[in-house]
Amino acid sequence: MLKIPDQTMNCRSCGQLEDGSVLDFAGSNFVSMDNFAYGSVARYLQLDRKKCCFPANLGAHVCESTYKHTEVGTATSWDSTLQLGTRHFQHKYYNLFTCNCYSFVANCLNRLAHGGSAEWNVLNVAALVWLHGEWVDKMSVVRSFAPFVTVTCIGIFMAGWSFLIGLSAFCLLLIGWFVFAVYCTKGLVC
């Protein structure tokens, strides 16, 4: 989840409106407000508002990637970014492999031209949160990893070490899919 500030506001999931409402692309044609699809926030990333591009007016737009930023949709405020992203994703079908909540976050970051880039995708967002994100509290770490550890222990107990080989192969296949879909095909991943 991303924690994005607007002045002194603390925000989550690339989507906290200035009034405090939290947005999440939770399913096909549905961006939920104040209700996460997979539970409460466990990990977040505090973004620096100074790294976002908010032109005073579209004629005065002079960020480093002006053309690309204008192409994906320039936002003039925090709320307009999230509202444009919400309108865009209210007409998308949710799919774990091609169009998911990470796509929603990437879309919002592109509209913000965060970090001077309008090239955000699901892999960039996942890496950003994984490498630079912070845990909400110690219990959120347990909530995040306990199911994986439990299933892994049961799998090893029932199937032996071959379970780990199968799990590793599945993980590599999944990572390979996202790398292929994002970097080798255009438009397959939202």
Side-chain angles (χ1 to χ4, degrees), residues 114-182:
H114 182 265
S117 173
E119 299 288 333
W120 290 96
N121 59 49
V122 295
L123 292 176
N124 299 100
V125 171
L128 186 68
V129 174
W130 181 255
L131 298 174
H132 300 287
E134 298 177 33
W135 294 100
V136 172
D137 56 19
K138 290 177 184 173
M139 196 59 197
S140 63
V141 177
V142 173
R143 278 194 337 252
S144 295
F145 289 110
F148 173 75
V149 170
T150 302
V151 168
T152 303
C153 289
I154 291 170
I156 291 171
F157 177 73
M158 293 179 72
W161 292 103
S162 60
F163 175 79
L164 282 181
I165 294 169
L167 182 62
S168 298
F170 175 73
C171 290
L172 287 174
L173 186 64
L174 195 58
I175 292 168
W177 160 255
F178 279 108
V179 169
F180 173 77
V182 167

Side-chain angles (χ1 to χ4, degrees), residues 75-95:
T76 55
S77 73
W78 198 258
D79 280 356
S80 71
T81 299
L82 297 174
Q83 289 167 355
L84 288 170
T86 298
R87 280 191 215 119
H88 179 75
F89 276 83
Q90 282 179 337
H91 304 290
K92 297 276 187 186
Y93 289 103
Y94 188 94
N95 182 321

